[in-house]
Structures are given as C-alpha cells and as structure tokens.
Amino acid sequence: MAQSRQEIVAWVGGHVLPHEADVRAWLRRRGVAPDQIDDVVQEAYCRIAALDQVLHIGNGRSYFFQTARNIVLEQTRRARIVRIDSVTEIELSNIVDDEPSPERIAAGRRELQRVQNLIAGLPEKCRTIFELRRIDGVSQRDIAKILNVSENTVEAQAVRGLKLILKALSGDPAEPSAIGKYDERVRNRTRH
C-alpha cells in the first residue's frame, strides 16, 4: 500500500533531513569533490522521496547514508565508462593491446600439449573415463552404462586420473613420463 506524498515528505523531513550535515561530512572524508556533494545529496533526497512508501525503513539516517553511498558508487562506475566517440584518434593509438604476447601464446600451447600428453599417459581405463567425464562432459551414470562398470568405479577412476595429472603437473615440467612413474609408485605402495 502506497503512502501519500505528504506522509513521505514529512517522514523525510523528520528522519532524513536532520542527518544532511553528517552525510555531507562523510562524503567530504570519502574524497567526493565539493561540487559533487550537492548533487549526491540532492539525488539521495529525490530517490528517497520517490519511494512509494517508507514504512519499511527502520533507520532514516542509515538509509540516507546507504543511498548516498550507492549514488557515489554509480557515479564512479559511470565515470569509468568512456564513450568511444569521445576518444580522439591519438588516445586510441595509445590503447594497450589486451591480446597475449607471442611468448605467452607459445607458453600456453606448450602447457596444453603437456596436459594432453599427461592425459594420453594415463592408464587406459582411467584415461577413457577421464576423457569421457572431464573433457566430453558425459555423466557418471552414462559412463558406467557405456563401459559396463559401476558408478563408483567411474568416480574413482576420474578422481585417480585428475590426481595423477595434478601430481605430474606439480612435478618437473620436462618430465614427460611423470604420470607413469607416479602411478607406478602408487601401485607399489598399495601392494605392500
């Protein structure tokens, strides 16, 4: 149920207006330019007065501060957005390219190749399940049906594959057979 404009204006006068000096002081401390403080305060009054009702507001002072804070944040966000037609050609020529450097691209390709080699080095059953689950996104239940194994087996093999790859990645990057050596150590430990 909407309140009358007179009730809302009276509420603003009694619960918000008395705190204007504190909001202005807070805005100054926050580094808001003096010429913008008036705009922020005026906008806060407009927003509060435009509400359909104010019965839900428990503390007018807090609501006033929060409204002013939101306005400052909105202005800051808007100031960071620059219209492209307002930028001169000289400014456009100074824009830094966000594309990765050739060195970074090459390093990424090497790392991708390394991960692909590690996946290829997984034991056959583990690799098949890992690829179906992690790369192809096939559900655990569907993999179990396709391979005629239990869902627990699928889960265990997917986890095993991930652990082997992560362990190999944390080791020597020049060691291509890190998975095989790690997997062999794990199997030897479980036999004893």
Side-chain angles (χ1 to χ4, degrees):
M1 171 172 73
Q3 289 180 282
S4 73
R5 279 293 119 212
Q6 292 153 334
E7 290 175 314
I8 293 173
V9 169
W11 183 88
V12 169
H15 292 89
V16 174
L17 188 62
H19 306 292
E20 181 179 333
D22 294 336
V23 168
R24 286 179 178 279
W26 178 77
L27 290 168
R28 276 192 298 278
R29 285 192 306 272
R30 301 281 300 174
V32 176
D35 61 324
Q36 291 181 332
I37 291 176
D38 287 337
D39 293 339
V40 171
V41 170
Q42 183 64 34
E43 178 67 22
Y45 282 135
C46 289
R47 288 186 185 185
I48 294 170
L51 294 172
D52 289 334
Q53 63 176 341
V54 292
L55 298 173
H56 66 283
I57 301 173
N59 185 326
R61 175 184 171 87
S62 296
Y63 198 86
F64 191 21
F65 272 89
Q66 186 63 43
T67 302
R69 178 184 171 276
N70 290 343
I71 292 166
V72 170
L73 288 173
E74 289 168 13
Q75 289 176 343
T76 302
R77 283 188 205 110
R78 266 190 251 122
R80 290 183 183 160
I81 299 171
V82 179
R83 288 178 36 140
I84 194 68
D85 59 356
S86 69
V87 179
T88 66
E89 282 188 42
I90 294 171
E91 290 170 323
L92 281 173
S93 67
N94 291 330
I95 293 176
V96 177
D97 189 8
D98 287 337
E99 292 295 316
S101 67
E103 294 83 12
R104 213 165 156 205
I105 291 171
R109 286 183 179 149
R110 281 192 304 272
E111 191 64 19
L112 177 60
Q113 185 59 53
R114 182 171 174 228
V115 171
Q116 288 172 333
N117 290 341
L118 292 172
I119 292 171
L122 290 171
E124 185 179 347
K125 184 177 187 179
C126 183
R127 182 184 72 247
T128 302
I129 290 173
F130 183 84
E131 287 175 341
L132 286 169
R133 185 77 182 112
R134 299 292 180 168
I135 296 173
D136 298 333
V138 178
S139 74
Q140 199 167 289
R141 177 176 290 157
D142 290 343
I143 295 171
K145 287 178 185 174
I146 292 167
L147 299 178
N148 198 26
V149 295
S150 72
E151 285 187 51
N152 288 340
T153 300
V154 172
E155 182 178 0
Q157 289 298 314
V159 169
R160 177 182 178 213
L162 183 59
K163 283 182 179 179
L164 289 171
I165 290 169
L166 291 175
K167 181 69 174 176
L169 286 173
S170 67
D172 182 7
E175 181 69 52
S177 60
I179 282 189
K181 290 182 178 181
Y182 174 74
D183 196 36
E184 186 63 34
R185 287 193 307 268
V186 169
R187 273 185 284 181
N188 287 337
R189 266 189 275 165
T190 57
R191 287 184 194 151
H192 299 290

